[in-house]
Amino acid sequence: MERPRQGFWGLWNISFGFFGIQIGFALQNANMSRIFQSLGTSIDDLPALWIAAPLTGLLVQPVIGHLSDRTWFGRFGRRRPYFLAGAILAALSLFAMPLAPALLFAAVMLWVLDASLNISMEPFRAFVGDMLRKDQHSAGYAVQTAFIGAGAVVGSIFPWALEQLGVSNAAPGGGIPDTVRYAFWFGGAALFFAVLWTILTTREYSPEQMAAFDGARAEAADAGARALAERGNISGFAWLAAGGAVIVAVGQLGLEKEVYLLGGLLAAYGIASLIAIRLARSGRGANMLASIVGDFAGMPPIMKRLALVQFFSWSALFIMWINTTPVVAGAFYGAPDAADSRYQEGANWVGVLFTVYNGVAAIAALTLLPLLAARFGKARTHIFGLLCGAAGFASFFVIRDPHWLIVSEIGIGIAWASILAMPYAILASNLPQAKLGIFMGLFNVFVVVPQLLVATVMGSIMQAFFPGEPIWTMAFAAGTLGLAALAMTRVKEG
């Protein structure tokens, strides 16, 4: 039995909520460094404050994926209730963020905002796989990517557009400019109503229908836990030892204090593994911890290969989100200080640049990438996209006029479209449907871990080798996308 084929409006409704979610992410990505610096933090402290975003994703997405695979809320479905809960919390966070009276409040609200966005976002990845036939996966993720690009365009351009309409972009007292304040309020409303559109215009297939659709692709929910019960404790102790070694190295080598978090996470996973193995051996494999650890340890081979690609890809993206504003303001506008009016001018231009790469991504997802994928395959198309992004980051070193950075963003936009579409289309066609939510959530670990690594280690590297020269972060971004393209040559499509 096969799923019904979705037409244009079916594809539209399934992914329209992502348009609103990405408005929230775009406002966060383009403006949080600006908000933090406007409230008094230094550029060297930005990575530590940005840790909130990837850390919440690391914790939230596997849990939500696990829960949404295993729960059914009757007529409300299994994914849509999570869409709604996350949208409500994210909208409230976007309304509260611009009211931040101090740096601490802004940092806490970033944690809440990112957790809320992840609650809504994670089930959307699995939702496309739930609702579409296998031969429509590429189209479904392409449409989703187009909405991501369109939402990011709206979120990125809004502060700049408000300034053109006469809204004040100045923050002489060290607060948050009105352009950013109004943009966040608009974004909160847009996010909520976009997600509500998907909730009201779609109807999920029942568990019985899903079982009939998937047949051989269905997999027992406790398979990962059973495999975990047969594993030894050596790997758990190895993770624990690795975490301890990192923590010791921070003190011995004088690394930035944020690296403690990386060591703590490695040790925490080691402890979680040991507990999960014990639970599985005692017959309590259905426990959420045992299920998540078991599925992580038992990832399909194609997912492991794509995980390495994601690790390098998202390292570059997180470098870009943290550093583009200080790079452009300092290297192209000559204003590293947030109190300088030229800094705010440069920050607004970054909003335009982010608009360009997201707009390019939306167009490429619906035009260029499907054509290339049909002719050369999804894997080779992704290699092409990653190399375009590497060239875009490298061009920051040859361009002198900030307006020409738009050319750089074209390459970055093609890479962004490919990163958001190709790996997920490959995965959705090769993963067991019964575990699509948890595997998509675990795949996000390889989106999050590189971001944590950048947030904890990049500051130490820059302080040691390039103090006061953030533009060199663009060289790291170009290099990691090159490594991602190289890793992608090992991925063979199913």
Side-chain angles (χ1 to χ4, degrees):
M1 185 177 178
E2 184 64 276
R3 290 169 174 76
R5 189 173 186 84
Q6 295 285 347
F8 171 80
W9 287 110
L11 294 173
W12 175 288
N13 293 336
I14 287 168
S15 290
F16 186 72
F18 231 122
F19 172 72
I21 292 171
Q22 197 58 35
I23 289 177
F25 271 119
L27 286 167
Q28 171 184 294
N29 292 338
N31 294 285
M32 286 313 301
S33 288
R34 177 184 189 176
I35 289 174
F36 288 147
Q37 286 192 285
S38 295
L39 292 174
T41 194
S42 70
I43 186 172
D44 294 331
D45 292 329
L46 287 179
L49 293 168
W50 270 91
I51 284 175
L55 183 58
T56 51
L58 179 66
L59 299 174
V60 168
Q61 290 219 21
V63 172
I64 296 299
H66 171 85
L67 293 175
S68 69
D69 277 344
R70 292 168 174 251
T71 54
W72 178 255
F73 296 92
R75 58 194 287 261
F76 298 105
R78 61 173 178 170
R79 314 289 187 194
R80 292 179 300 164
Y82 295 98
F83 299 165
L84 182 61
I88 292 172
L89 292 172
L92 292 174
S93 300
L94 285 167
F95 276 98
M97 180 71 75
L99 302 176
L103 182 62
L104 178 61
F105 182 89
V108 170
M109 291 310 303
L110 176 60
W111 281 74
V112 177
L113 172 61
D114 206 84
S116 306
L117 291 171
N118 275 285
I119 290 171
S120 276
M121 181 185 73
E122 197 286 328
F124 261 103
R125 297 290 191 196
F127 191 54
V128 173
D130 290 345
M131 301 296 292
L132 298 181
R133 301 155 53 113
K134 189 174 180 179
D135 62 358
Q136 285 195 294
H137 284 164
S138 292
Y141 286 106
V143 171
Q144 190 175 89
T145 298
F147 276 127
I148 290 171
V153 166
V154 174
S156 297
I157 198 67
F158 209 73
W160 178 86
L162 287 172
E163 184 186 18
Q164 307 311 304
L165 294 174
V167 178
S168 173
N169 189 51
I176 299 170
D178 286 344
T179 51
V180 176
R181 195 185 310 273
Y182 297 155
F184 270 64
W185 292 341
F186 164 81
L191 184 154
F192 177 76
F193 286 111
V195 172
L196 191 63
W197 177 280
T198 288
I199 292 170
L200 296 177
T201 58
T202 58
R203 185 177 181 86
E204 296 184 68
Y205 297 119
S206 69
E208 294 75 22
Q209 288 174 304
M210 295 291 286
F213 289 150
D214 295 309
R217 290 184 67 210
E219 182 174 306
D222 61 349
R226 289 201 307 270
L228 187 66
E230 300 172 1
R231 295 173 63 90
N233 293 321
I234 295 176
S235 61
F237 285 117
W239 285 106
L240 188 59
V246 170
I247 292 171
V248 170
V250 174
Q252 295 296 319
L253 302 177
L255 301 177
E256 296 291 319
K257 60 183 181 298
E258 291 83 14
V259 183
Y260 279 121
L261 176 61
L262 183 62
L265 287 172
L266 293 173
Y269 180 71
I271 294 171
S273 296
L274 295 172
I275 295 173
I277 291 171
R278 186 179 182 87
L279 289 170
R281 287 176 177 174
S282 66
R284 289 179 286 171
N287 177 277
M288 182 167 64
L289 177 63
S291 296
I292 291 175
V293 172
D295 288 331
F296 183 77
M299 289 185 296
I302 193 170
M303 185 172 169
K304 293 179 181 178
R305 294 190 179 99
L306 281 169
L308 183 62
V309 178
Q310 289 292 87
F311 177 87
F312 289 124
S313 301
W314 285 84
S315 294
L317 293 171
F318 201 60
I319 288 170
M320 174 183 71
W321 290 328
I322 292 179
N323 295 288
T324 301
T325 295
V327 165
V328 172
F332 291 89
Y333 284 81
D337 187 351
D340 192 322
S341 62
R342 292 174 300 166
Y343 176 95
Q344 299 297 341
E345 183 183 354
N348 267 11
W349 184 242
V350 170
V352 176
L353 295 177
F354 279 20
T355 299
V356 171
Y357 92 73
N358 283 296
V360 169
I363 296 170
L366 295 178
T367 56
L368 177 63
L369 296 184
L371 291 175
L372 293 177
R375 183 174 179 84
F376 302 107
K378 292 187 282 289
R380 291 181 180 178
T381 298
H382 194 37
I383 292 171
F384 167 77
L386 293 169
L387 291 176
C388 286
F393 285 120
S395 68
F396 271 68
F397 290 88
V398 297
I399 290 173
R400 295 293 177 265
D401 184 341
H403 294 89
W404 281 100
L405 291 174
I406 287 176
V407 177
S408 307
E409 299 301 322
I410 293 174
I412 294 169
I414 294 172
W416 178 230
S418 190
I419 290 167
L420 291 174
M422 293 299 119
Y424 295 99
I426 294 171
L427 275 182
S429 298
N430 288 278
L431 293 177
Q433 184 64 47
K435 289 190 172 183
L436 194 55
I438 181 59
F439 276 135
M440 288 294 185
L442 290 173
F443 194 55
N444 184 65
V445 169
F446 302 99
V447 170
V448 169
V449 169
Q451 296 180 51
L452 287 170
L453 194 62
V454 169
T456 55
V457 175
M458 183 59 70
S460 296
I461 294 173
M462 294 302 295
Q463 280 295 309
F465 298 103
F466 308 105
E469 298 181 88
I471 192 170
W472 286 100
T473 58
M474 298 296 105
F476 283 96
T480 54
L481 279 188
L483 291 173
L486 182 63
M488 192 64 198
T489 60
R490 300 179 60 248
V491 177
K492 308 301 180 186
E493 301 174 42

